[in-house]
Amino acid sequence: MLQVDLQGGFGEKGRTSVVVSDGSTRVMLDAGIKVGATGDEYYPVLARPVAEIDALFISHAHEDHIGALCHLRRQGYAGPIYMTEETRAEMPATLAQYADPADLAEYMPQSEQIRLFRPGETLTVGALNVETGASGHVVGGVWFCVEGAGHRVVYTADIVPESAVFPMQPLPACDLLILDASYGADPIPGAERARQIGEWVAGYADGCLLPTPLSGRSLELMAAIGVPFAIEAGMRAALSAQIHAPDAVHKDRVKVLSERLDAARDWNVGEPLPACPLLVHDGMGVAGPSRPALEAAESAGFPILLSGHLPAGSPGARLVDEGRAAWIRMPTHPTLPENTALWEVAGRPRLIGHSCDATSLDALHQHIPALMAGARTGDTHQIDKETTHAHSDFQ
């Protein structure tokens, strides 16, 4: 039997975290925070003390998957932390923005804790095998398949099956699929959204602001934009590293993205907004250069386009709600047809959606009846020979 504890990201967006155990070995997959939350709701809800976790695996360096690392170390976690080289490189910047300052000062992950792997490797912890594969979401991002006791659980983390930039490796068949349901039942293909964004930006080629996460969506936006643009200067090295990471970007996109980055102007916080589209991070206006850039753009009446998840109360959400910014989703998660196909490829298993609110889960359930739309943070699921059981036994 395998037991699966849903520690965050279920019926909600943020603090994504899952634990899989065969009764003797426990592995934790991701440790995110929830932007906009406070207190205990900011961090994953731990099913068991951290001392009982044998290994922690991080899918990628976005805050809703890695932001609680320092918090876990404060709680006493001293075991191995598995991640890719690209995730390790991006980790300090993410934690600097989203970790508690006191935790950041004292409990940064130690270099001896970090175990590096490449997407496609299979790792062993106790009696559990953890298969990995490129996720198509960001450079170095992965999905996980945990196998033990004769069963398999696939946790996709964030995935993009048809990214114009990043390749994704196929998911294996499994007994339980924990699927990226960020977009609910949205059916619009990524290529169509990218076309809409490209047209919007072309309409404001003489100046507009594009807040974006440093990894992942930034390259998707660069691929969609057909006019000269600027970037916040501190992004350049990270974007170049992402473009040229081994096997991380579709080969036919490396040259195009490299040329566009080379041609991009540098912009620094405090300078006048440029007379061209400007990419700044992060994508919500919560942290990083995008916060002062949004304030400057709002004051100047500079056009703003948001293109991803906006937590309630975030600067980006406020601007959209007030009609001061446009919003067009740049797909960096699977759409409805993609999720349906992923479920089919995995063998039509029982299904749980993560990173999605209750209303959107109900909508997705109408299209994929195998989805357990009522699964929530705090639930425990058991996989045995006959079926998948679910109950809640921790808060």
Side-chain angles (χ1 to χ4, degrees):
M1 181 186 75
L2 289 180
Q3 179 168 301
V4 181
D5 299 322
L6 310 182
Q7 298 191 146
F10 298 91
E12 62 183 351
K13 176 73 172 178
R15 63 172 179 171
T16 319
S17 182
V18 174
V19 165
V20 181
S21 171
D22 66 354
S24 60
T25 303
R26 295 175 63 82
V27 296
M28 182 169 170
L29 313 175
D30 281 345
I33 56 89
K34 186 196 289 190
V35 173
T38 58
D40 291 342
E41 196 175 336
Y42 191 67
Y43 298 111
V45 182
L46 298 180
R48 308 282 297 178
V50 295
E52 298 184 22
I53 299 170
D54 294 290
L56 172 60
F57 291 80
I58 300 296
S59 64
H60 64 292
H62 286 164
E63 79 286 341
D64 54 333
H65 294 262
I66 200 174
L69 267 189
C70 298
H71 174 73
L72 286 183
R73 290 207 63 239
R74 176 180 282 278
Q75 302 302 308
Y77 182 69
I81 305 171
Y82 291 86
M83 62 182 68
T84 63
E85 176 63 48
E86 293 82 10
T87 298
R88 181 176 67 173
E90 295 172 16
M91 173 182 68
T94 304
L95 295 180
Q97 293 178 13
Y98 293 99
D100 178 272
D103 290 353
L104 186 68
E106 289 191 57
Y107 294 101
M108 272 291 287
Q110 299 299 298
S111 58
E112 60 268 22
Q113 280 184 278
I114 296 175
R115 314 285 174 84
L116 299 179
F117 66 90
R118 295 302 306 165
E121 287 189 42
T122 297
L123 309 158
T124 300
V125 181
L128 298 177
N129 291 321
V130 182
E131 183 182 349
T132 69
S135 66
H137 180 65
V138 297
V139 173
V142 296
W143 49 256
F144 297 113
C145 174
V146 182
E147 183 175 12
H151 302 286
R152 283 180 176 176
V153 174
V154 169
Y155 162 63
T156 65
D158 292 347
I159 53 174
V160 190
E162 298 179 15
S163 169
V165 175
F166 307 110
M168 176 186 159
Q169 293 173 291
L171 299 179
C174 58
D175 303 285
L176 176 66
L177 177 60
I178 304 174
L179 186 63
D180 179 358
S182 295
Y183 295 163
D186 183 355
I188 300 177
E192 171 59 20
R193 296 286 198 190
R195 184 193 64 78
Q196 294 173 7
I197 287 174
E199 288 184 354
W200 189 97
V201 173
Y204 296 99
D206 58 348
C208 61
L209 184 65
L210 306 172
T212 173
L214 182 57
S215 61
R217 198 191 324 150
S218 290
L219 295 190
E220 300 277 10
L221 286 171
M222 287 169 55
I225 295 172
V227 297
F229 60 89
I231 60 170
E232 190 276 321
M235 299 173 67
R236 183 173 296 276
L239 293 176
S240 179
Q242 291 171 44
I243 292 168
H244 298 289
D247 302 317
V249 172
H250 289 304
K251 287 182 170 50
D252 62 344
R253 306 305 289 170
V254 172
K255 183 174 185 291
V256 172
L257 290 170
S258 182
E259 289 175 348
R260 291 184 180 182
L261 181 61
D262 289 344
R265 293 172 50 186
D266 280 344
W267 176 85
N268 293 282
V269 172
E271 294 178 350
L273 293 168
C276 65
L278 169 63
L279 277 67
V280 295
H281 70 95
D282 72 8
M284 301 170 286
V286 172
S290 74
R291 190 174 189 112
L294 277 173
E295 293 171 356
E298 184 179 8
S299 298
F302 201 67
I304 302 167
L305 177 65
L306 285 306
S307 55
H309 173 64
L310 299 174
S314 65
R318 177 184 61 79
L319 289 169
V320 171
D321 290 344
E322 294 175 356
R324 295 171 181 263
W327 184 85
I328 303 173
R329 173 180 286 155
M330 168 58 78
T332 54
H333 302 275
T335 58
L336 173 60
E338 292 170 333
N339 266 341
T340 302
L342 290 169
W343 174 63
E344 295 280 358
V345 166
R348 300 168 65 92
R350 294 294 287 168
L351 185 65
I352 297 174
H354 73 78
S355 302
C356 187
D357 62 29
T359 300
S360 297
L361 285 170
D362 288 340
L364 184 58
H365 176 73
Q366 301 305 309
H367 299 272
I368 310 179
L371 176 73
M372 293 181 273
R376 295 291 182 269
T377 295
D379 288 354
T380 292
H381 293 258
Q382 294 178 344
I383 305 169
D384 58 26
K385 291 182 180 179
E386 302 299 327
T387 186
T388 299
H389 307 286
H391 63 279
S392 177
D393 66 0
F394 68 96
Q395 300 296 324

